Amino acid sequence: MKSDLYSDILATVSKSAHLDVKKTFDLVCSLLRKIPGYDWTGIYVVKGGKLVLVSYDGEKTDHDVISLGDGLCSLAIVRNDVVNEFDVRSNDKYLACFPSTRSELVVPIRFEGKAIGELDIDSDKTGAFSDRDEKFLLEVGEMISRKVQSVYGP
Ligand code: SME
């Protein structure tokens, strides 16, 4: 069941404190990609006024650096809030990475309340993400927020 998968992932991430930053990010991306509908998973960190892709699982993207202001990824940082886009084709802020993507969920990773990075999930299905996905990813973000802070640069 999907909820078991969420719990298993949270348990594994909570045991990853000993791993270095890059290994933790890679682990998180590969675990998240096991969830049905999570067709591309990535972690962006704010660095020098840009969003920098520090890890991903799935196809390679040209958008490994995004200027703050562009795309749904920036919206999540600027608003310090979740962006859950049911149909990316209906949002003119959407920055296309893969032709197959239909919905996208971007969840801020916060340190002391400030959005310093994000988990970005693309799905090939329209409306793939629920409130449960949002809460789950916020929890994952909290677990890795110290490590994200260690590579964050304003
Ligand atoms: N679609 C994102 C860009 C990143 S890719 O999905 C990997 C956006 O609109 O910001």
Side-chain angles (χ1 to χ4, degrees):
M1 253 174 60
K2 206 169 167 183
S3 57
D4 292 337
L5 195 48
Y6 289 135
S7 320
D8 289 352
I9 291 172
L10 289 173
T12 307
V13 177
S14 75
K15 285 185 218 137
S16 69
H18 63 286
L19 294 180
D20 71 26
V21 170
K22 177 66 176 142
K23 284 210 173 89
T24 304
F25 294 166
D26 291 349
L27 173 73
V28 167
C29 290
S30 70
L31 289 170
L32 293 179
R33 188 125 185 274
K34 293 184 193 301
I35 298 175
Y38 285 40
D39 295 308
W40 185 90
T41 59
I43 300 173
Y44 285 92
V45 177
V46 177
K47 259 180 179 291
K50 293 183 188 302
L51 279 165
V52 179
L53 186 64
V54 290
S55 179
Y56 68 94
D57 195 324
E59 239 179 282
K60 191 181 170 349
T61 172
D62 289 340
H63 297 298
D64 49 357
V65 179
I66 298 175
S67 296
L68 261 181
D70 294 347
L72 302 181
C73 285
S74 293
L75 267 191
I77 298 292
V78 173
R79 292 185 184 160
N80 191 1
D81 204 358
V82 171
V83 175
N84 186 351
E85 182 49 68
F86 189 91
D87 182 355
V88 293
R89 291 168 296 181
S90 70
N91 193 324
D92 57 13
K93 291 227 172 341
Y94 172 68
L95 199 60
C97 280
F98 317 110
S100 56
T101 301
R102 292 293 173 266
S103 59
E104 179 162 4
L105 178 57
V106 194
V107 174
I109 298 169
R110 302 182 176 118
F111 187 79
E112 293 172 352
K114 188 179 160 91
I116 58 168
E118 64 197 17
L119 293 158
D120 179 24
I121 319 293
D122 286 14
S123 181
D124 295 346
K125 248 181 40 191
T126 308
F129 307 110
S130 66
D131 290 357
R132 183 71 188 82
D133 293 291
E134 295 183 16
K135 287 199 189 93
F136 163 67
L137 290 171
L138 280 166
E139 232 177 295
V140 173
E142 262 174 48
M143 285 179 172
I144 60 168
S145 113
R146 239 166 226 293
K147 286 179 180 171
V148 173
Q149 167 66 16
S150 74
V151 291
Y152 163 81

